Amino acid sequence: MTSALKKAWHIVAYQTASMISCCFLRCFMRVRVTGREHLPRRGACLLICNHISHFDPPLLASSIWRKVAWVVALDMYEHPLGWAYFTAIESIPVDRKQTDRKAVRAILKRFQKGEMVGLFPEGGIRAGKDSILGGATLDESVGAIAQLGRVPVIPCVILGADKLYVRRAWRWKTTIDIRFGRPVPCEGESARREVTERVAEAMRCLVEELKTEFNLRENDLPKTPQERWQSAALPE
C-alpha cells in the first residue's frame, strides 16, 4: 500500500469510527459542546482532557472536526480487536508503566506533520481528589511534551459521561458537557512546570464556567463508576 493510500485509509477509518460513535451515543444522550471556537483549524497542538469514563474518547472525537492522534495505553492493544481498531485510526501506543521515549518521539513526529494529539494525562479514570479537577497535580509531562514540540496546549473538560455507568441513564437523554478552553501557549522561557500548572488551572476554570452557565449541581460533577453504581444517581 502506497503512503498516500495508507494515509487515506487511516482518515476514512477515523471518520467512520467517529460517525458511528456519534450516531450511536447521541441517540441516547444530549451533548453540549462549548468553546469549540478555541480549537485551531490547522497546525500542531496538544489536546488535554480529564478522564471520567470509557465513553470519553468517542464523545470527544465526535465533537472535533479534525482528526486527532489519540495517545492510548499499550494494554488497550492486547486484544486483536483493540489492536485492529487503534491501528486503523492511527493512535499512538504508550506504556504507562515507565517513561516511554518511543511514544514521545511518535508524538513529536505527529506535531511535525501539523496534527492534533489528544491525551488523557490522569493515567486512568479519575474523580474527586484524585482528579485534576479535584485538585490533583497534573503530570509535568504535559508541559514537557508541549515544550519539546513547541505547540500550544488546548485544555478541555468533559462532565456527565460517568453517569452512563448507571443503566437507567440510557433510557432518556443524559446531558454530557464538553468545553474547550483557550490555547495555553508554550513559548519563550516558560518552565514546563509553569505551563503544566496553567493548563491544570485552565481546566478547573472551565468546570466553574460550566457550573455557572448551566447551573450544574453536585450530581453533575465527576463521580467514580463505583459511586455511580452505589447511588444509582440519575439526571433530573
Side-chain angles (χ1 to χ4, degrees), residues 10 69-78 82-83 85-108 110 117-119 145:
H10 286 308
W70 295 103
V71 178
V72 178
L74 192 60
D75 54 4
M76 298 297 289
Y77 284 77
E78 292 178 354
W83 180 90
Y85 172 72
F86 291 116
T87 300
I89 65 172
E90 215 173 7
S91 295
I92 302 172
V94 60
D95 187 348
R96 296 187 300 188
K97 298 178 182 178
Q98 59 183 344
T99 301
D100 193 338
R101 292 182 174 83
K102 183 179 179 180
V104 173
R105 289 195 295 270
I107 292 172
L108 296 180
R110 299 299 181 90
V117 174
L119 177 65
I145 291 172

Side-chain angles (χ1 to χ4, degrees), residues 45-191:
C45 59
L46 179 62
L47 177 69
I48 296 296
C49 188
N50 64 308
H51 199 10
I52 58 176
S53 80
H54 294 85
F55 307 100
D56 300 343
L59 283 168
L60 279 174
S62 63
S63 302
I64 302 172
W65 56 78
R66 292 181 57 178
K67 179 176 177 292
V68 181
W70 295 103
V71 178
V72 178
L74 192 60
D75 54 4
M76 298 297 289
Y77 284 77
E78 292 178 354
H79 192 280
L81 289 178
W83 180 90
Y85 172 72
F86 291 116
T87 300
I89 65 172
E90 215 173 7
S91 295
I92 302 172
V94 60
D95 187 348
R96 296 187 300 188
K97 298 178 182 178
Q98 59 183 344
T99 301
D100 193 338
R101 292 182 174 83
K102 183 179 179 180
V104 173
R105 289 195 295 270
I107 292 172
L108 296 180
K109 285 183 179 180
R110 299 299 181 90
F111 287 153
Q112 291 173 359
K113 295 178 181 179
E115 296 185 21
M116 176 186 287
V117 174
L119 177 65
F120 295 96
E122 294 177 304
I125 295 173
R126 299 286 184 269
K129 294 181 179 179
D130 294 329
S131 168
I132 296 169
L133 305 186
T137 302
L138 180 59
D139 195 289
E140 280 191 31
S141 61
V142 171
I145 291 172
Q147 279 195 328
L148 288 171
R150 298 182 180 180
V151 298
V153 183
I154 312 299
C156 173
V157 295
I158 182 168
L159 301 179
D162 52 309
K163 295 179 183 179
L164 300 177
Y165 285 117
V166 179
R167 184 180 301 177
R168 286 176 292 172
W170 291 79
R171 293 181 184 174
W172 61 78
K173 291 198 172 184
T174 297
T175 299
I176 311 295
D177 278 301
I178 297 174
R179 194 177 190 92
F180 300 100
R182 297 179 182 278
V184 176
C186 186
E187 54 189 19
E189 298 300 323
S190 298

